[in-house]
C-alpha cells in the first residue's frame, strides 16, 4: 500500500482514470459501439489496471525489503509473500 502522500496521490489518480475508462466502456456497450472500439477500450483498461498493480507492488516491495530482514523465519515469510504476489500478478 502506498504510504507517502505522493505515492497515494499517484495511485488515486490512476484509479480515477480507470473508473473513467470503465464508465466509457459501459457507455460504449450501452450505445452499441463497434466490437473493435470495445476491444480497444478493454485493452486500455487492462493496461491501466496492470500499471496500478505494478505501482502498488513496487511500493510494497520497497516497504518490505527496505527494512532489516529479522529472523530467518521472518525473512522466509516475506519471500513467500512476495512470491505469491508476483505469481498472482502474472496470472
Amino acid at each position: 500500500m502506498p504510504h507517502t502522500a505522493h505515492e497515494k496521490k499517484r495511485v488515486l489518480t490512476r484509479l480515477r482514470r480507470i473508473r473513467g475508462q470503465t464508465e466509457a466502456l459501459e457507455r460504449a456497450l450501452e450505445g452499441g459501439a463497434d466490437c473493435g472500439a470495445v476491444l480497444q477500450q478493454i485493452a486500455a483498461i487492462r493496461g491501466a489496471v496492470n500499471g496500478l498493480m505494478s505501482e502498488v507492488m513496487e511500493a510494497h516491495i520497497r516497504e518490505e525489503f527496505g527494512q532489516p530482514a529479522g529472523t530467518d523465519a521472518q525473512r522466509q515469510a516475506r519471500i513467500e509473500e512476495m512470491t505469491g504476489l508476483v505469481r498472482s500478478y502474472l496470472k
Side-chain angles (χ1 to χ4, degrees):
M1 175 68 194
H3 292 286
T4 68
H6 180 67
E7 285 177 340
K8 190 177 283 189
K9 182 178 179 181
R10 279 197 333 242
V11 167
L12 288 172
T13 298
R14 281 183 178 270
L15 186 59
R16 289 181 184 117
R17 189 175 308 127
I18 292 167
R19 183 184 320 143
Q21 289 174 311
T22 58
E23 289 170 355
L25 176 61
E26 182 179 3
R27 287 190 302 273
L29 290 170
E30 287 174 346
D34 181 59
C35 288
V38 168
L39 289 169
Q40 185 176 20
Q41 186 64 32
I42 292 169
I45 292 168
R46 181 180 58 194
V49 169
N50 285 342
L52 175 63
M53 174 72 84
S54 176
E55 193 157 336
V56 172
M57 190 177 292
E58 286 175 27
H60 182 67
I61 289 169
R62 279 193 301 274
E63 180 182 320
E64 283 297 309
F65 292 98
Q67 304 169 8
T71 66
D72 285 342
Q74 290 170 327
R75 183 174 182 270
Q76 186 61 35
R78 288 167 57 189
I79 289 169
E80 287 174 15
E81 178 191 4
M82 279 284 82
T83 303
L85 283 172
V86 170
R87 270 197 203 108
S88 68
Y89 175 70
L90 295 174
K91 284 185 178 181

